[in-house]
Amino acid sequence: MRVDSPAPSPPAGPDRRAFLAGGLAAAGLALAGCAPAATAGTGRTRLRQWNLFTGGDGARMVAMHERYTAEHPEVDLRPTTYLWGNPYYTKFAMGAAGGRSFDIGTLHLSRLRGLGAGTLIDPVPRDLLAEHGITEQTVQPNLWRKATVDGELYAIPFDTHLVVTYFNREVCAQAGVLDADGELTATRGAEQLFDLLAEVKAVTGQYGIVMDTTGAWRQFWSLYRQLGGELTLDGEPGIDDDKALQSLDFLRRVSEEGLAPPASDAPGTPANFQNGIAGLMLAGNWELPTFQDAGMDFGMRPFPDVFGAELGQGDSHAFVLPHRRDRDDEAVRAAVGYAAWMLKNSIAWAGGGHTPAYLPVAESAEYADLEPQAGYRDAARDVQLDPEAWFSGSAGRLTAEANSVMAGVHNGSTTPEQALRDFKAAVRKLIDTPAPI
């Protein structure tokens, strides 16, 4: 999957996934209350699941659903996949507003408040979840806190996905930047990192590192949070100008000094890394299967420590219960049971690069044996989710506005100072725009 990353992988086609044709029309039927009863006369509980997983993630989800169905013949699981990003979230909001369109949906945790926790999204019954062994003690603490709004649990975190460092072992070995275990040498501070990138560039003859310059928000937020920067999105934008300028100046410098391409888009970045024009890459951990399938010898580690910590921007996929006009206890019980099963079996999901949110899996020997996933497993504890606002989060307008102005810092068409002014102006307009929910 590309998240959220970011732009998603191209859809693999509907194949075994139930891709809803005529999406808005179908959603309209659901809004009108035309959905059949939960058991539909079959003696099985119907469970309608909506998700946004295409590409490699979609294939993994299909495989997990096939296992779930085989183990739960009493449940009639009906998954529906929509395109990642706004196409999905538009349908999600319409479906949840209708009150009868789906029983459980997938959500980026960063979008929880903006998509109506307490209005379009119902609380998760903690007692029911605990019956399946899923409690606050078994889920990554930072994600559980984010899933809790005003004391109520509104989401069941499934994973963590974040920006990490990929390194080409062959190139990095020639550059002499691997340690005795064949892992990338850790750096501390911008100067050490730039020195390492210069060594790698001497081997590739082109660049040391590649990153998605059209998605510069991810790098900016990682760096800004390493500095301890906060961003408040209520009233006048609250941002630390000095820390923001330090972060933007890093983006300017890494490209201006020829250590990274001044322009590299979302699909081109992994291609550039695979083609060997750079020995390192900053990208989401969801790109992992691409390089495994290509047979590359590569490793992964957290986002580099540029300003004092190895913090990287990221998000979490989570399961949520849409608001129901008429409570259906049987459907809710089936939905919570499904989510619990997915968490407990998330070692299969980890194969795509995501770090399981369920601690018994994330801390298991089986996960520790996964390579190169184990190289960044600890980074999930400190994933830096986007600031809270209705327009923030994965595929949100804040990201789009930030990307449009920050890309120019990489290619030299704007200065860090001008980019910051433009970003703050865009944020003010978003704050002044009434929330749609």
Side-chain angles (χ1 to χ4, degrees):
M1 174 206 77
R2 295 181 187 248
V3 199
D4 272 271
S5 44
S9 301
D15 51 72
R16 293 171 294 172
R17 287 173 284 138
F19 196 98
L20 194 63
L24 292 176
L29 290 176
L31 295 176
C34 297
T39 54
T42 65
R44 304 167 67 203
T45 300
R46 188 195 57 227
L47 181 62
R48 296 160 300 184
Q49 186 260 13
W50 282 13
N51 69 81
L52 68 173
F53 298 118
T54 59
D57 279 352
R60 274 188 180 77
M61 183 63 64
V62 168
M64 292 184 74
H65 282 169
E66 288 176 344
R67 281 188 53 207
Y68 172 84
T69 298
E71 295 179 20
H72 298 82
E74 75 283 3
V75 178
D76 178 14
L77 177 64
R78 301 185 183 184
T80 298
T81 301
Y82 292 106
L83 289 178
W84 185 94
N86 287 326
Y88 174 76
Y89 283 123
T90 297
K91 290 175 172 59
F92 180 99
M94 290 181 64
R100 293 188 61 188
S101 57
F102 61 102
D103 302 302
I104 187 166
T106 309
L107 196 72
H108 288 100
L109 201 51
S110 63
R111 299 295 296 268
L112 180 63
R113 292 175 184 261
L115 280 166
T119 52
L120 297 185
I121 300 171
D122 281 346
V124 176
R126 293 198 197 198
D127 55 345
L128 184 56
L129 191 61
E131 289 180 18
H132 295 277
I134 310 297
T135 66
E136 185 174 0
Q137 287 69 43
T138 64
V139 174
Q140 196 72 254
N142 57 337
L143 302 182
W144 186 275
R145 288 193 297 270
K146 191 75 172 182
T148 304
V149 180
D150 297 330
E152 293 275 12
L153 183 69
Y154 280 95
I156 306 170
F158 184 38
D159 66 24
T160 299
H161 47 278
L162 73 167
V163 180
V164 296
T165 307
Y166 292 75
F167 60 95
N168 182 319
R169 278 203 170 88
E170 181 180 353
V171 170
C172 290
Q174 293 180 48
V177 297
L178 299 183
D179 62 21
D181 296 323
E183 301 300 321
L184 185 67
T185 302
T187 57
R188 296 290 180 267
E191 298 311 316
Q192 284 190 19
L193 177 60
F194 284 171
D195 288 345
L196 182 147
L197 296 180
E199 296 291 336
V200 174
K201 177 181 177 178
V203 174
T204 66
Q206 297 186 70
Y207 299 104
I209 193 168
V210 64
M211 62 194 79
D212 178 10
T213 62
T214 64
W217 165 257
R218 294 180 177 279
Q219 290 86 255
F220 168 80
W221 189 244
S222 302
L223 297 164
Y224 185 67
R225 292 296 296 146
Q226 287 187 11
L227 287 164
E230 301 284 351
L231 177 58
T232 56
L233 302 171
D234 184 16
E236 188 70 13
I239 189 169
D240 187 313
D241 287 4
D242 289 341
K243 292 173 180 177
L245 288 173
Q246 285 185 66
S247 304
L248 290 168
D249 194 61
F250 175 89
L251 303 184
R252 175 200 63 80
R253 184 179 169 192
V254 74
S255 292
E256 189 175 272
E257 296 187 10
L259 299 174
S264 182
D265 62 13
T269 296
N272 286 334
F273 177 66
Q274 187 174 330
N275 292 337
I277 76 163
L280 277 68
M281 177 180 74
L282 293 179
N285 55 7
W286 52 85
E287 297 287 1
L288 180 153
T290 300
F291 308 119
Q292 286 183 328
D293 293 345
M296 282 187 68
D297 184 7
F298 71 101
M300 299 168 69
R301 59 167 293 110
F303 194 101
D305 172 354
V306 177
F307 294 125
E310 293 182 328
L311 301 181
Q313 186 273 351
D315 212 327
S316 166
H317 295 117
F319 299 109
V320 296
L321 305 178
H323 177 65
R324 304 298 292 258
R325 290 199 305 254
D326 301 308
R327 182 175 174 85
D328 186 335
D329 291 337
E330 187 176 359
V332 170
R333 180 169 290 276
V336 171
Y338 159 85
W341 186 93
M342 294 293 284
L343 264 66
K344 291 180 178 180
N345 291 274
S346 55
I347 191 67
W349 191 243
H354 306 305
T355 303
Y358 184 57
L359 293 176
V361 173
E363 297 173 352
S364 68
E366 189 174 6
Y367 182 75
D369 288 340
L370 286 180
E371 292 291 346
Q373 288 90 325
Y376 58 86
R377 61 184 296 182
D378 293 338
R381 293 198 299 260
D382 298 313
V383 60
Q384 300 300 302
L385 275 71
D386 290 354
E388 291 185 352
W390 71 262
F391 49 81
S392 184
S394 292
R397 291 174 62 182
L398 177 70
T399 301
E401 293 289 350
N403 288 341
S404 68
V405 300
M406 293 179 184
V409 177
H410 276 288
N411 63 35
S413 63
T414 190
T415 64
E417 291 78 10
Q418 185 60 53
L420 179 58
R421 287 194 293 271
D422 291 345
F423 175 64
K424 290 166 70 173
V427 170
R428 285 191 198 97
K429 290 182 179 179
L430 290 174
I431 291 174
D432 292 340
T433 304
I437 298 175

